[in-house]
RNA sequence: GCCGGAGUAGCUCAGCCGGUUAGAGCGAGCGUCUCAUAAGCGCUAGGUCGGCGGUUCGAGUCCGCCCUCCGGCACCA
C-alpha cells in the first residue's frame, strides 16, 4: 500500500484562525481525502506553534499561564477545523512534552554531533535604557547618545546552525528533484536565494523560559524555526518512537504559505541533511486568498471568519469555492457576492438540481428503483472525467480536478435535456429507453459524487446515499468507485433540496469584521522569521528582550518629536521607496532625512509641508546616504505611507 | 535597480513543440422544454490576444524593445 504523509504549517495561537489560514487547511484536507480515496495509507498532520514570544506575551496580557492559554487556543483551533470538516489524523503542539520536546532536543543534538551547531557569542556595549546593544560608532564619548549613560559590556551566548555549509548540497538537491519545490515561481525564488549565499542561523535565545531548552545548554531555548519545523518529524516519532518514525518519515508533501516556502525549502532540508535524515518529497507554496482584492488583516478590519461562511449550509460550499475558484498555487479572492453567485450556479442550479431531477423522475416514473446496465455516452464521459480528475489531483491542480468533476455534472444535465425522460414516460413503448436513460444519469451523478468526495465530504456522501450507493463513503476506492456499474439494481432516494437557491443578494452575507481577537494575518511558521540571507552577519543580532506592552511617560519622552518643514525633496536614485528630504527642524542647518514614502508621494507634494520628525534617532546610512532622523507616517497594511501633517508651526517645536 | 511571473471576451481563467472562422466557466441578453431548487437546455459576447518592430508562407503561440501589474531581493531608521 502506498503511504502518503502530508502536513500543513503549524499556526501561531495568538488569534483565532481566519479564512486565509482555513484555506490552507481546506486544500490540504482535499488532498488528504483524495489520497485516502485512492486507498493510500494517508497521514495528515496539523498543529499549533506555541513557543513564540507573541504567544507568551498574549497570555501575559490576559493574565494567564502560557500553557493554559495555549490549551484554550488549541480548543479554539480544533473547533474551527471541525467546523470545516478538516480530517487531520494528528495534531501536534510544540509544547508537547512527550513528543515534540524530545524530538527537537534530539535533532539539535544530532546537528551538534555532526559539527553543524556551534556556539557564538555576541559581545558589546549594551545600554540598559535602550535594552539593546549599541554599535561602537553610535556611542558619543563612550556614552549612549540617548541616555547619556555608560553602556554595560555584555557577552551573550548564542548557538548557531551552520546553514552556510549546505548551499551546495541544497542546490544539488533542487537540481536532482525538480518537483521538490512547487509551484515553479517559488522554486525560482528559492534557488536564487540559495545561490546568493546562506548565512548561519541563530537557533537559540538565552535567558528565556518559554521554549525548549537546548540539551547541551539548558540556559538557552531553541529559537523559532528550528523548533517549529521539527514538528513534522516530532509528530511521527522522531526522538520518541523510532519504529513509527521509520514508518511515516519522510513526509510526501508539506503544504505551506508562499511566504514561508523558503524556510521549508532551505532551513528544513539543511537540518535534515545535517541529522542524516531523508528529505520530504515535495513542498508546495500556496497563494493567498484575498478579501475583495485586499490582503486580510486585523488592522484593515476585513477578516473573514471561515465559520461564518460555513454557518448556513455547512463547510462544503466554502470548500468548493476555495478549491474550484482559486487556481491552486496562485492567489485568489473571496467576496460574499461571488460566493453566493457560485453557490447558486454550481450547487443549487447545477449539481443540486441535477440530483433532484434524477431522483424525482426515478421516483415518479420508476417507483424509485433502477436496474444497472451498460453505459451510453455518459459512461465514456465519466471515464474521461475520472482520468483527468486523477491526473489533475496528482499534480495538485485541485481546481482542474474539480472542473473535471463538473464536466460530468454538466454533461448529465445536457443528457437529460436531450433524452427527455418525461417524454419517454408518456409512451409505454419506450419504457426500456426510459429506464436506461435514468440509470445512465443516476450513475453519472454517482460517479461525479465520488470525484467530489474529497472536496465536499458530507454533501457528496449524501448524494451517494440518494443515488443508492450501498457502500459507505469511507469504504469506496477510487478505481472501483469511479467505474461504471453494469449490474445490480438500486434504490434512488428523492429527498429535499441539498442547496436551496439563494434568491436575495446578500442572503448569506454576514458581518465582515469581527471585533475582539479576530485573526492576525500570518499563518504560523512565520513572522518572527529570522533573515535567511542578509548582508549582516547573523552574529550581529543579539537576543531581543521582550518588548513591554506599555511604556512609561519617561520612556516616551526619550523620543524627541519635532515640528519640521520640508525644504527640499527628491527621489533617491535607484530606490523604489526612498525620498531624500532636506528639513528645517529649527537648527542652524537643515537636516537630511530619508523616508520610505516614495510610493505614496511625489517629491513635489512634499516641499513646504509641515510634518513631524523624530529628531534624536541615531543616524543611519541608506543607499549610501546618511539619514538624520525619521518622519512620522502611518503605514497601513499592504504598503503605502501616510504622512502625519502638523499645523504649520515653528520648526523645531517639540511635539509631545 | 536586479531577479522571477503575468498582461487573452464584463469577471475568473485555458490556450502544448507557431498553422483553418482565438476557447471554457460565471454574469448579461434572447429563445425553448417542463423531470427539477423560475433550476435545465440552446443561441448570442463580434474580444487591437498590453504596445511597437522583427523572424516566417503563416504568431496570443518564437526574437528584440517598450508599457503596466504582481511577487522576491536591495533599500523601507
Amino acid at each position: 500500500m502506498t503511504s502518503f504523509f502530508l502536513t500543513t504549517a503549524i499556526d501561531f495561537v495568538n488569534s483565532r484562525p481566519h479564512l486565509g489560514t482555513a484555506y490552507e487547511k481546506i486544500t490540504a484536507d482535499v488532498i488528504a481525502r483524495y489520497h485516502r480515496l485512492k486507498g493510500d495509507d494517508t497521514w495528515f498532520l496539523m498543529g499549533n506553534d506555541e513557543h513564540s514570544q507573541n504567544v507568551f506575551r498574549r497570555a501575559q496580557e490576559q493574565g494567564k499561564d502560557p500553557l493554559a492559554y495555549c490549551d484554550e487556543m488549541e480548543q479554539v483551533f480544533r473547533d474551527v477545523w471541525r467546523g470545516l470538516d478538516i480530517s487531520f489524523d494528528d495534531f501536534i503542539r510544540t509544547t508537547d512534552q512527550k513528543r515534540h520536546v524530545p524530538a527537537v532536543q534530539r535533532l539539535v543534538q544530532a546537528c551538534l554531533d555532526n559539527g553543524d551547531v556551534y556556539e557564538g557569542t555576541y559581545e558589546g556595549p549594551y545600554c540598559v535604557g535602550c535594552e539593546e546593544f549599541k554599535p561602537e560608532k553610535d556611542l558619543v564619548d563612550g556614552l549612549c547618545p540617548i541616555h547619556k549613560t555608560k553602556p554595560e559590556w555584555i557577552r551573550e551566548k548564542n548557538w548557531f546552525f551552520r546553514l552556510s555549509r549546505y548551499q551546495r548540497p541544497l542546490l544539488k538537491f533542487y537540481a536532482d528533484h525538480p518537483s521538490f519545490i512547487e509551484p515553479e515561481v517559488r522554486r525560482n525564488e528559492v534557488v536564487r536565494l540559495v545561490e546568493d549565499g546562506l548565512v548561519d542561523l541563530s537557533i537559540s535565545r538565552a535567558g528565556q523560559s518559554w521554549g525548549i531548552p537546548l540539551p547541551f545548554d539548558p540556559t538557552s531555548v531553541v529559537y523559532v524555526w528550528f523548533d517549529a519545523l521539527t514538528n513534522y518529524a516530532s509528530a511521527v516519532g522522531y526522538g520518541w518512537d523510532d519504529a513509527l518514525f521509520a514508518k511515516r518519515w519522510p513526509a510526501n508533501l508539506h503544504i505551506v504559505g508562499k511566504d514561508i516556502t523558503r524556510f521549508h525549502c532551505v532551513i528544513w532540508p539543511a537540518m535534515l541533511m545535517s541529522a542524516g535524515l531523508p528529505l520530504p518529497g515535495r513542498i508546495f507554496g500556496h497563494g493567498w486568498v484575498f478579501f475583495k482584492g485586499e490582503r486580510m488583516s486585523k488592522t484593515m478590519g476585513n477578516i473573514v471568519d471561515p465559520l461564518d461562511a460555513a454557518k448556513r449550509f455547512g463547510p462544503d460550499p466554502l470548500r468548493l469555492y476555495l478549491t474550484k475558484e482559486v487556481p491552486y498555487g496562485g492567489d485568489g479572492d473571496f467576496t460574499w457576492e461571488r460566493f453566493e453567485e457560485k453557490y447558486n450556479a454550481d450547487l443549487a442550479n447545477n449539481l443540486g438540481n441535477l440530483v433532484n431531477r434524477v431522483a424525482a423522475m426515478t421516483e415518479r416514473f420508476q417507483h424509485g428503483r433502477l436496474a444497472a446496465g451498460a453505459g451510453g455516452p455518459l459512461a465514456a464521459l465519466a471515464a474521461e472525467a475520472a482520468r483527468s480528475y486523477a491526473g489533475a489531483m496528482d499534480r495538485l491542480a485541485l481546481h482542474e480536478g474539480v472542473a473535471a468533476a463538473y464536466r460530468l455534472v454538466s454533461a448529465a444535465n445536457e443528457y437529460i435535456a436531450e433524452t427527455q425522460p418525461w417524454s419517454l414516460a408518456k409512451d409505454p413503448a419506450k419504457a426500456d429507453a426510459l429506464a436506461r436513460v435514468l440509470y445512465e444519469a443516476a450513475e453519472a451523478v454517482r460517479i461525479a459524487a465520488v470525484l467530489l468526495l474529497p472536496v465536499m465530504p458530507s454533501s457528496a456522501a449524501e448524494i451517494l446515499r440518494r443515488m443508492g450507493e450501498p457502500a459507505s463513503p469511507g469504504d469506496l476506492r477510487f478505481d472501483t468507485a469511479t467505474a461504471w456499474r453494469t449490474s445490480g439494481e438500486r434504490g434512488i432516494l428523492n429527498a429535499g433540496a441539498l442547496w436551496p437557491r439563494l434568491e436575495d443578494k446578500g442572503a448569506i452575507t454576514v458581518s465582515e469584521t469581527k471585533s475582539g481577537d479576530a485573526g492576525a494575518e500570518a499563518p504560523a511558521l512565520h513572522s518572527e522569521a529570522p533573515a535567511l540571507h542578509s548582508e549582516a552577519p547573523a552574529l550581529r543580532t543579539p537576543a531581543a528582550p521582550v518588548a513591554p506592552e506599555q511604556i512609561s511617560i519617561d520612556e516616551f519622552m526619550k523620543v524627541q518629536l519635532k515640528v519640521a518643514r520640508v525644504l527640499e525633496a527628491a527621489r533617491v536614485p535607484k530606490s523604489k521607496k526612498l525620498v531624500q528630504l532636506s528639513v528645517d527642524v529649527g537648527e542652524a542647518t537643515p537636516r537630511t532625512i530619508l523616508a520610505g514614502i516614495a510610493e505614496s508621494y511625489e517629491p513635489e507634494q512634499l516641499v513646504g509641508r509641515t510634518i513631524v520628525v523624530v529628531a534624536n534617532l541615531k543616524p543611519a546610512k541608506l543607499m549610501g546616504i546618511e539619514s538624520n532622523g525619521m518622519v512620522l507616517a502611518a503605514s497601513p497594511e499592504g504598503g503605502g505611507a501616510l504622512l502625519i501633517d502638523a499645523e504649520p508651526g515653528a520648526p523645531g517645536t517639540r511635539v509631545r
Side-chain angles (χ1 to χ4, degrees), chain A residues 23 318-328 331-333 338-339 342 346 398-399 402:
Chain A
Y23 173 64
L318 177 67
R319 293 173 59 107
L320 180 71
Y321 180 96
L322 292 177
T323 51
K324 187 166 186 274
E325 290 308 294
V326 183
Y328 203 41
D331 292 334
D333 196 40
R338 185 77 177 151
F339 180 54
K342 298 308 294 180
D346 293 334
L398 308 186
H399 55 297
V402 181

Side-chain angles (χ1 to χ4, degrees), chain A residues 573-597:
Chain A
K574 293 186 186 178
S575 162
K576 186 157 50 171
K577 296 185 178 178
L578 289 178
V579 174
Q580 180 173 353
L581 304 171
S582 175
V583 298
D584 177 1
V585 284
E587 297 166 341
T589 53
R591 281 200 196 201
T592 295
I593 291 182
L594 296 183
I597 55 175

Side-chain angles (χ1 to χ4, degrees), chain A residues 419-477:
Chain A
T419 55
Q420 302 188 13
W422 52 92
S423 299
L424 298 175
K426 287 172 185 161
D427 184 350
K430 293 177 178 166
D432 284 354
L434 173 61
R436 224 179 309 123
V437 161
L438 285 179
Y439 176 73
E440 178 102 3
E443 180 65 353
V445 171
R446 198 204 107 243
I447 293 173
V450 173
L451 300 183
L452 290 170
L453 221 29
V455 182
M456 300 192 288
S458 56
S459 306
E462 172 61 14
I463 293 171
L464 289 173
R465 191 175 75 89
R466 293 188 186 188
M467 291 298 111
E469 169 61 61
S472 83
D475 294 335
L476 294 175
R477 289 296 165 262

Side-chain angles (χ1 to χ4, degrees), chain A residues 367-383:
Chain A
H367 307 293
R369 297 205 71 79
L370 293 173
L378 285 184
L381 273 162

Side-chain angles (χ1 to χ4, degrees), chain A residues 504-619:
Chain A
D504 305 320
K505 276 273 179 198
I508 52 178
T509 298
V510 292
S511 62
E512 292 176 0
T513 57
K514 304 275 268 187
S515 55
D517 61 351
E521 53 284 352
L525 276 177
H526 176 243
S527 281
E528 290 179 52
L532 242 194
H533 154 77
S534 102
E535 286 187 1
L539 274 170
R540 213 184 64 183
T541 313
V546 178
E549 284 305 297
Q550 295 183 322
I551 60 171
S552 69
I553 184 73
D554 291 338
E555 284 171 294
F556 170 70
M557 284 304 179
K558 290 177 197 164
V559 181
Q560 282 181 30
L561 299 176
K562 289 186 177 177
V563 171
R565 241 175 78 81
V566 180
L567 303 174
E568 296 167 27
R571 214 169 265 272
V572 175
K574 293 186 186 178
S575 162
K576 186 157 50 171
K577 296 185 178 178
L578 289 178
V579 174
Q580 180 173 353
L581 304 171
S582 175
V583 298
D584 177 1
V585 284
E587 297 166 341
T589 53
R591 281 200 196 201
T592 295
I593 291 182
L594 296 183
I597 55 175
E599 289 179 315
S600 308
Y601 296 94
E602 290 304 322
E604 308 82 67
Q605 297 175 264
L606 300 168
V607 177
R609 227 158 151 146
T610 303
I611 58 173
V612 180
V613 303
V614 179
N616 60 340
L617 197 68
K618 69 184 180 188

